[in-house]
């Protein structure tokens, strides 16, 4: 019976669903979601429109990762008043008229979908003025049409487009884009890529309300300078140029120019900036091919930085293969990739012969958190307001006998001789003397550019820590413990002092006091000594003549430049080639004279005397490295370094000699070179005194920490009172 019922049900035919036409509003919103996938998609489209308008300056302002506001302003040719009514309609464009025009398209926009898509998912306002007009026009758009007639308004040259409340009518899309920091970083990344390719255009990108721009590039004629200004010196100095050219119509026709990182570049992920016919695109096949080359050629540097600009005939590129124009299709793509891969491999193999290795920087453990600007936001109470009770987990414990809260309070005091002194008066005198120096310097544009770079690259969060921190003590030979509010930090003293000295050299340029060397040192002998110390094989004697020639050439060079370095940097080298004076960079501080040979070699060997800005920068950096508070060359006798000072005597027993790890001598028990220990103790105590009473007071007054110090391990947060308080609450 049941089988009969089932058979009857199967005989009833089911009607197919009816096909109907979607409303235009639904169609347009679906299309808008494909073209504008994230806030960065809107920024990219608007910037490309500005570039098509022949702009020389493009400024981007972003709020809440682009969801609240995206504002793109340019100084291009503007939009005609007559075109404003159809500006944001779908498929309205000035770039092409027929489909065949796509074969020779050179502009970045061509479909007329970007602005239209934005109006279907956001509120768009356009302000524009064209050449010859007395005033501009402002008009708002919604769903592709004007909300009102264009209104006359004051305007500057070009066009400004504001996109507000992006995805306000797409709830699901908006919920997936709540991480505004992630979206803003993508926008900064795209603007950085545009900035290094379009060198003749200045770009800026900042958060709404922020005084400092996260991307701030100026027009330049040098590609490497553009990369340096956007990605930093550490990236630019590891790049080498690559070129490829093919004019054979039977295989491929293309031209490639770019920069690739060498074996000294180290990064956690690949950075590939690719432009094809001036269009920012992705090419997964090319990226994978280059990754393979790096992995095979430079295993320790397999995550490279790559910038490439490829030019092909327009008819060999299909630009209409992706809704966001992120990808393109190339004719003879496999051949082009193979030839570029071969050029890169050849260039890498030739550079690998001169590979250099740098000392690894200190990296924080996973439990340590890096410094961020949010860590150091200070909220002083407004004047006149009542004092509020501080929560328990916000209280900072201090010691009444020592307001600074230093570690010395808990240690047994030891006599340090001349180091025990009242520093309050000397610190005041030091700051007065340093502030007394006039700000006026030699009228050098390059010097002012270097100082401006310091000011522009200053990290506001670290600046607040430096200005208001409390020095606690030295954690080891390199790191000092600092307290700021309720946080405890480890600070790399060597990096801090090196950067402070560099900045002070530039700011006190040509206004130095002098350190007189009691016995002038021959420059030639200093350079020979530095070359010997740098020789990895001490038994090698073949380089003696070569070292003498190098030292003689560098000495003659420094004698020729003596007037300049004395006038600007107070480094006096007399006519006989003797070093007799050095500059005072910080009062009450004298550098470690054991590092003079290395400094003199750097002056003679590393300075580019032809270009003014590089010359001043390298000399200032060399002085900064020389005056930095490096650990003394004698090991610290207070720890395991005491073994260094144990006396050794020759071994007379052959068997004992063979069993000894050194093979030459043995250590005698309880015999220590006390004079050497006393010298080392004085050097280490003097360094710590200088760090506490000279370095950190000077940093509070003058230092502007660069952005790089927030990520390179110079500052590492090791404890937070609030987090410790939560842990103890649970116990």
């Amino acid at each position: 019976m049941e089988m009969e019922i089932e058979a009857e049900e199967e005989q009833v035919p089911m009607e197919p669903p009816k096909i109907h036409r979607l409303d235009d509003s639904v169609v347009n919103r679906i299309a808008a979601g494909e073209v504008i996938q994230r806030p960065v998609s809107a920024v990219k489209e608007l910037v490309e429109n500005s570039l098509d308008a022949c702009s020389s300056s493009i400024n981007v302002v972003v709020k809440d990762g682009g969801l609240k506001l995206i504002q793109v302003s340019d100084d291009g040719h503007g939009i005609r008043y007559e075109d404003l009514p159809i500006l944001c309609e779908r498929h309205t464009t000035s770039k092409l008229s027929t489909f065949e025009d796509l074969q020779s398209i050179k502009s970045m926009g061509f479909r007329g979908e970007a602005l239209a898509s934005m109006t279907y998912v956001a509120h768009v306002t356009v302000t524009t003025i064209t050449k010859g007009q007395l005033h501009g026009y402002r008009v708002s758009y919604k769903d592709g049409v004007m909300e009102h007639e264009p209104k006359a308004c004051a305007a500057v040259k070009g066009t400004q487009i504001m996109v507000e409340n992006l995805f306000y009518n797409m709830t699901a899309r908006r919920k997936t884009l709540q991480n505004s920091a992630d979206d803003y970083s993508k926008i900064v990344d795209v603007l950085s890529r545009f900035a290094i390719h379009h060198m003749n255009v200045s770009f800026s990108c900042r958060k709404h309300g922020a005084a400092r721009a996260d991307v701030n590039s100026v027009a330049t004629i040098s590609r490497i300078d553009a990369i340096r200004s956007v990605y930093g010196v550490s990236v630019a100095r590891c790049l080498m140029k690559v070129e490829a050219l093919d004019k054979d119509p039977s295989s491929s026709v293309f031209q490639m120019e770019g920069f690739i990182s060498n074996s000294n570049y180290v990064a956690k992920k690949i950075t590939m900036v690719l432009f094809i016919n001036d269009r920012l695109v992705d090419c997964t096949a090319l990226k994978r091919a280059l990754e393979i080359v790096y992995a095979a050629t430079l295993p320790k540097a397999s995550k490279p930085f790559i910038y490439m600009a490829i030019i092909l005939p327009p008819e060999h590129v299909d630009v209409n293969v992706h809704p966001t124009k992120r990808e393109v299709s190339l004719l003879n793509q496999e051949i082009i990739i193979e030839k570029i891969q071969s050029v890169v491999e050849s260039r890498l193999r030739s550079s690998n012969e001169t590979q250099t290795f740098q000392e690894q920087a200190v990296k924080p453990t996973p439990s340590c958190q890096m410094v961020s600007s949010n860590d150091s936001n200070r909220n002083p109470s407004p004047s006149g307001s009542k004092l509020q009770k501080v929560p328990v987990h916000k209280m900072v414990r201090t010691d009444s006998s020592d307001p600074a809260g230093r570690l010395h309070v808990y240690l047994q005091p030891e006599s340090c001789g001349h180091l025990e002194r009242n520093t309050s008066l000397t610190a005041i005198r030091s700051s007065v003397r340093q502030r007394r120096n006039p700000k006026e310097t030699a009228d050098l544009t390059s010097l002012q550019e270097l100082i401006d770079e310091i000011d522009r690259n200053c990290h506001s969060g670290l600046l607040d820590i430096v200005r208001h921190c409390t020095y606690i003590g030295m954690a080891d030979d390199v790191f000092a413990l600092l307290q700021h509010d309720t946080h405890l930090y480890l600070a790399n003293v060597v990096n801090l002092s090196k950067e402070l000295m560099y900045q002070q050299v530039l700011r006190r340029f040509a206004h130095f006091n002098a350190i007189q060397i009691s016995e002038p040192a021959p420059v030639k002998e200093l350079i020979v000594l530095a070359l010997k110390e740098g020789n990895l094989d001490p038994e090698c004697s073949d380089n003696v003549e070569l070292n003498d020639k190098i030292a003689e050439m560098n000495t003659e060079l420094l004698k020729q430049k003596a007037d300049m370095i004395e006038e600007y940097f107070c480094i006096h080298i007399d006519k006989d080639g003797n070093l007799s004076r050095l500059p005072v960079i910080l009062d009450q501080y004298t550098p470690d004279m054991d590092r003079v040979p290395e400094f003199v070699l750097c002056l003679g060997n590393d300075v580019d005397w032809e270009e003014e800005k590089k010359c001043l920068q390298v000399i200032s950096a060399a002085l900064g490295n020389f005056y930095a508070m490096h650990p003394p060359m004698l090991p610290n006798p207070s720890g395991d370094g005491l073994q260094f000072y144990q006396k050794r005597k020759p071994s007379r027993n052959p068997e004992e000699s063979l069993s000894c790890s050194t093979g030459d001598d043995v250590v005698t028990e309880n015999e220590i070179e006390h004079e050497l220990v006393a010298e080392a103790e004085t050097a280490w105590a003097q360094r710590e005194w200088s760090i506490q009473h000279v370095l950190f007071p000077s940093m509070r007054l003058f230092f502007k920490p660069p952005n790089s110090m927030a990520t390179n391990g110079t500052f590492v947060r090791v404890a937070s009172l609030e987090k410790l308080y939560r842990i103890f609450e649970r116990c």
Side-chain angles (χ1 to χ4, degrees), residues 283-302:
C283 183
T284 305
L286 178 59
K287 182 178 179 180
R288 184 66 56 83
L290 296 180
E291 279 188 301
I292 292 173
V293 171
Y294 269 87
T297 310
L298 304 174
K300 292 186 178 181
S302 57

Side-chain angles (χ1 to χ4, degrees), residues 185-290:
S185 65
K186 293 180 184 295
I187 293 172
V188 169
D189 179 62
V190 166
L191 265 294
S192 300
R193 293 166 184 259
F194 276 120
I196 66 173
H197 180 74
H198 297 278
M199 301 182 300
N200 58 333
V201 181
S202 62
F203 290 85
S204 74
C205 178
R206 62 181 176 87
K207 291 183 179 179
H208 182 266
R212 181 178 57 84
D214 294 287
V215 176
N216 190 9
S217 69
V218 296
T220 180
I221 59 174
S222 170
R223 183 82 61 195
I224 198 70
D225 286 344
I227 296 175
R228 184 182 295 110
S229 66
V230 175
Y231 287 95
V233 178
S234 59
V235 175
R237 69 186 175 193
C238 295
L239 299 182
M240 49 190 179
K241 191 171 184 178
V242 290
E243 294 178 330
L245 180 65
D246 190 1
K247 295 183 178 180
D248 185 5
S250 61
S251 59
S252 62
V253 178
F254 76 97
Q255 179 181 353
M256 183 275 289
E257 291 184 358
F259 286 91
I260 61 174
S261 57
N262 58 24
S263 55
N264 298 318
Y265 179 80
V266 178
K268 294 182 179 179
K269 63 178 182 178
I270 183 174
T271 300
M272 183 164 182
V273 183
L274 177 62
F275 282 82
I276 296 180
N277 287 4
D278 293 329
R279 187 185 300 273
L280 177 61
V281 296
D282 293 335
C283 183
T284 305
L286 178 59
K287 182 178 179 180
R288 184 66 56 83
L290 296 180

Side-chain angles (χ1 to χ4, degrees), residues 548-565:
D548 286 340
K549 289 182 180 180
I550 294 173
E552 187 174 348
M553 291 173 59
N554 285 334
T555 302
E556 290 300 319
L557 175 62
L558 292 178
K559 285 165 66 176
Q560 294 174 12
K561 307 295 183 181
D563 292 339
M564 186 272 279
I565 59 177

Side-chain angles (χ1 to χ4, degrees), residues 332-382:
N332 301 322
Q333 177 172 298
E334 293 79 6
I335 299 175
I336 294 174
I337 291 176
E338 183 180 353
K339 292 185 177 180
I340 292 177
Q341 189 180 29
S342 176
V343 169
V344 170
E345 182 178 8
S346 175
R347 190 75 175 88
L348 282 177
R349 292 194 182 280
S350 63
S351 70
N352 200 24
E353 298 174 358
T354 58
Q355 183 176 1
T356 59
F357 297 90
Q358 299 177 352
E359 183 179 356
Q360 185 177 4
V362 178
K363 295 184 178 180
T365 60
S367 61
C368 298
Q369 297 184 10
M370 299 308 301
V371 178
S372 66
S373 57
N374 295 331
D375 295 337
S376 54
N377 290 336
R378 302 175 64 86
N379 298 313
S381 59

